[in-house]
Amino acid sequence: MELKVFRDVLPAAGADCTAKAELPLETELLISDYLPPVQRIVKCFAQPVVLQKQLAPGRLTLEGYLRCTVYYQGEEGAGLCQTEQKLPFTKTLELPSFGATAWTACVEGQTEYLNCRAVNSRRIEVRGAYGLVVSVHAQLSTEVITALSEGGIEQKLTTLGGVRRAATLEKLVTIEGTLTFPKPPAAILDITGTAEVRELKRMQGKAVAKGTLRALCAWRAEGDAALLSQTAELPFHQIVDVEGLSEDCQCLCTLAPVGFAAAEGETAEDGSASTTLTATALLRLSGWRPYQLQCVADAFSTRFAVEVTPQTIATEGLLCTLDETTVLRGSGPLPDAGAHILACFASFGPVSLTRGEGRAALTARAVVSAFAENTLGEIECYEKALDYALPLPADLPPDAQAYPECWLTVQDVQCTSAGGALEVSLTVRAEGAVLVRQTWPLVGGVELGSREPVFDIVVSAAKKSTFSRLSQNETAKECYKLGFFDPANADAALAALEMMDFEGVEKVRARVRQNGTLAQQLLQLQGQMARLTAALAQQPGGTQTAQDTPSLTAQLPVAAAARAMNWNGKEVK
């Protein structure tokens, strides 16, 4: 007989690999004429911006630019100054070959080393390297058996659940607004910002993201070396095409500013100056569609020999989404107790998931760089490392593997100098999701073999001795004396017979069970007859009387004992 096998496709968890690469940095920065000449190098930063990712068999290609920013102290009391350069790069990382129907790559990293020196007052040389850490996670559509029928098959079903990665998008968007200064700026040192997506509308193949980008500008007024700060809020309303997105998807959308440009504006009558601010931000959107599917975990046949091929499936689920804000604090001694803090910045290393005694936590290393002017009038950089740890809001199964798709942004950083110590307060926002992978044993294939034989032959002796017959009769008499055949003792007798073993014990058990059933039926009939007799006696001229039924119950134990005895090999009926 042919076995019917029903199959379906499951978005199983696929490859999970991590690759590391090094981006070399070797460049020269020329100071523009409108910037003060270089007196002293303060600090150099490098930050990659990935614009495109291409996955091919055995390799991943990243394209983007490395943003190199140098802070220096200008001559003739110009104070803290800044210049930057964007260095395009294309990096190919070797990966194991794997199949994928959906994938994502999370690019992180940290500066390995940077050497920066001033060749002259208008020329800066930078040498160094930035270490990339790329985590690639894939899903692969895999066939599974969902049901079996025919051939006397018996199956055990289990329900698997998870999420299907429906959409992944990373796109640069441009946001424009106005930045207003109380008076015309002589120089803009730096512009940073944070963004928040407050509303996300999902449609078929499209998404609408609304929110606000908050820009923070460090600038200096004409004739004043002190740094001032100015903020601006830029609302955004972005409509993007997202292949595979639908209204039933669970979505995560973040916006991270990667660059700012300020154009010269006009000065108002009250002395204020407004400039056009253009922000470039990286929009990240991920969409998952939940699913549930019943699969065959085990199977056997009552009529045929069965050969089962095992299959191990890994599912991927959404453990939790994150949008948490944490404040980190730290302190350390300053080499110069009289140093005056001018500005501060923060950067993060790769994000990892750490299991502890309690809940798993999201961990990273944060480094705060504080620029301060010492008592000699020199601007120096002091660094303070802080450990970031965010416990997950959901429990991680002990037998599961998890990985984060999270991004850390600086919401606020403050540095103060008090009593010769540097006090640091860093507000960190974590946005993203944590996905979990679990493995399940399933049936990957079933084949029916030959028909299973049915053994219904009972082997017994052809001739029995007189001793065996007498022994069996004595057993029957003992059971009778012990009240085994009394219908009132049916339950106790069955319990005792379950522990006994002699020829014909199954028949004795069946007879005792039947006696108990007949006795219960007889008691019910006696009750009915009593009620009928009472009803007839109340009728005029009624002469019916109840018959003597107890004698029937007294005959049951005797008849059962007689059937259990053997007289010359013949059963007494």
Side-chain angles (χ1 to χ4, degrees):
M1 180 178 290
E2 183 179 357
L3 177 66
K4 293 183 178 180
V5 181
F6 301 90
R7 298 178 182 270
D8 204 343
V9 176
L10 181 76
D16 181 5
C17 55
T18 301
K20 296 183 179 181
E22 184 181 273
L23 288 179
L25 176 59
E26 185 173 345
T27 186
E28 289 185 352
L29 288 80
L30 299 179
I31 305 301
S32 302
D33 294 337
Y34 61 85
L35 291 176
V38 179
Q39 175 184 341
R40 175 187 177 90
I41 300 295
V42 179
K43 184 67 177 178
C44 180
F45 295 100
Q47 182 65 37
V49 177
V50 179
L51 303 177
Q52 191 173 4
K53 306 171 187 175
Q54 295 180 350
L55 181 65
R59 67 180 185 273
L60 175 68
T61 303
L62 304 177
E63 295 182 4
Y65 62 86
L66 194 63
R67 182 185 178 189
C68 178
T69 306
V70 177
Y71 293 91
Y72 66 92
Q73 183 177 2
E75 293 181 353
E76 300 176 357
L80 187 64
C81 304
Q82 177 255 9
T83 184
E84 69 174 38
Q85 190 178 61
K86 295 179 181 179
L87 306 173
F89 71 85
T90 300
K91 193 68 177 180
T92 300
L93 291 82
E94 299 295 329
L95 297 176
S97 296
F98 55 84
T101 53
W103 63 278
T104 182
C106 184
V107 181
E108 298 175 298
Q110 58 186 0
T111 302
E112 294 184 354
Y113 70 94
L114 279 178
N115 296 324
C116 184
R117 71 183 184 94
V119 179
N120 54 48
S121 61
R122 291 290 176 180
R123 183 179 172 188
I124 298 175
E125 185 180 77
V126 180
R127 301 288 185 270
Y130 190 91
L132 291 177
V133 180
V134 183
S135 301
V136 180
H137 309 281
Q139 284 188 348
L140 181 63
S141 296
T142 306
E143 276 196 348
V144 293
I145 297 178
T146 57
L148 300 168
S149 66
E150 306 294 343
I153 201 73
E154 298 289 339
Q155 58 190 338
K156 177 185 177 182
L157 298 177
T158 184
T159 301
L160 302 185
V163 293
R164 183 193 309 270
R165 189 177 291 275
T168 301
L169 175 70
E170 289 189 358
K171 181 181 179 180
L172 284 179
V173 297
T174 302
I175 303 170
E176 292 187 352
T178 302
L179 178 61
T180 303
F181 298 94
K183 53 185 175 179
I188 294 178
L189 178 66
D190 187 53
I191 303 178
T192 59
T194 60
E196 181 181 3
V197 179
R198 297 177 178 175
E199 184 181 355
L200 180 66
K201 292 184 178 180
R202 300 175 294 272
M203 296 176 286
Q204 192 66 34
K206 289 183 180 294
V208 180
K210 297 180 181 180
T212 304
L213 187 148
R214 184 175 181 270
L216 177 62
C217 176
W219 61 288
R220 187 169 50 249
E222 188 69 37
D224 189 0
L227 289 177
L228 304 174
S229 63
Q230 189 66 37
T231 61
E233 290 193 355
L234 285 64
F236 62 86
H237 182 280
Q238 295 290 330
I239 302 176
V240 292
D241 295 326
V242 187
E243 184 179 357
L245 189 67
S246 59
E247 295 181 2
D248 60 341
C249 287
Q250 296 179 350
C251 288
L252 170 68
C253 186
T254 63
L255 189 70
V258 296
F260 292 88
E264 292 186 7
E266 299 179 354
T267 302
E269 295 180 357
D270 59 355
S272 63
S274 61
T275 61
T276 301
L277 183 63
T278 303
T280 304
L282 182 61
L283 178 69
R284 302 185 183 97
L285 191 146
S286 297
W288 300 276
R289 187 174 295 114
Y291 72 87
Q292 279 192 341
L293 188 64
Q294 274 197 336
C295 303
V296 178
D298 199 2
F300 69 93
S301 175
T302 58
R303 296 164 55 188
F304 296 90
V306 175
E307 183 178 352
V308 176
T309 303
Q311 179 186 19
T312 301
I313 288 291
T315 59
E316 190 170 80
L318 193 62
L319 181 67
C320 62
T321 57
L322 297 175
D323 188 2
E324 302 289 340
T325 301
T326 307
V327 178
L328 306 180
R329 291 183 173 86
S331 62
L334 286 172
D336 190 339
H340 173 64
I341 303 298
L342 300 177
C344 50
F345 305 89
S347 60
F348 300 97
V351 179
S352 60
L353 201 62
T354 306
R355 290 178 182 262
E357 296 181 356
R359 286 186 171 179
L362 205 67
T363 59
R365 171 62 64 92
V367 177
V368 177
S369 301
F371 297 164
E373 185 177 3
N374 59 24
T375 53
L376 299 177
E378 299 174 341
I379 300 178
E380 296 181 330
C381 177
Y382 306 110
E383 293 186 346
K384 178 62 180 178
L386 302 174
D387 291 327
Y388 173 79
L390 175 66
L392 298 183
D395 291 326
L396 180 63
D399 58 342
Q401 296 180 349
Y403 67 90
E405 286 187 18
C406 298
W407 298 273
L408 303 180
T409 56
V410 178
Q411 297 295 108
D412 183 41
V413 56
Q414 294 181 2
C415 296
T416 57
S417 174
L422 176 66
E423 301 289 339
V424 177
S425 175
L426 176 63
T427 304
V428 183
R429 183 182 181 186
E431 293 180 285
V434 177
L435 289 98
V436 61
R437 292 185 169 193
Q438 291 181 280
T439 57
W440 308 91
L442 300 179
V443 172
V446 179
E447 291 185 5
L448 295 182
S450 58
R451 183 181 290 271
E452 290 282 359
V454 179
F455 298 98
D456 55 356
I457 301 174
V458 179
V459 180
S460 61
K463 295 182 180 180
K464 296 183 180 180
S465 63
T466 304
F467 176 78
S468 64
R469 290 195 297 271
L470 292 175
S471 175
Q472 183 175 353
N473 294 342
E474 288 297 325
T475 302
K477 290 191 289 183
E478 281 295 320
C479 291
Y480 176 76
K481 291 178 181 178
L482 294 173
F484 275 30
F485 304 108
D486 188 350
N489 301 332
D491 293 338
L494 286 173
L497 290 171
E498 289 293 333
M499 297 181 288
M500 301 176 67
D501 186 17
F502 55 86
E503 187 176 354
V505 67
E506 293 298 333
K507 292 183 179 180
V508 176
R509 291 173 186 162
R511 176 58 62 181
V512 171
R513 192 176 291 108
Q514 183 180 7
N515 284 351
T517 304
L518 290 175
Q520 292 178 2
Q521 294 176 353
L522 186 58
L523 288 175
Q524 294 176 0
L525 292 174
Q526 286 178 349
Q528 293 178 3
M529 291 180 63
R531 288 192 294 272
L532 289 173
T533 302
L536 291 173
Q538 294 177 0
Q539 304 247 351
T543 58
Q544 297 294 331
T545 59
Q547 297 183 357
D548 189 15
T549 56
S551 61
L552 296 176
T553 59
Q555 295 175 8
L556 289 174
V558 179
R563 288 185 175 88
M565 298 177 67
N566 193 310
W567 299 86
N568 296 324
K570 296 181 180 180
E571 185 178 353
V572 179
K573 298 183 181 179

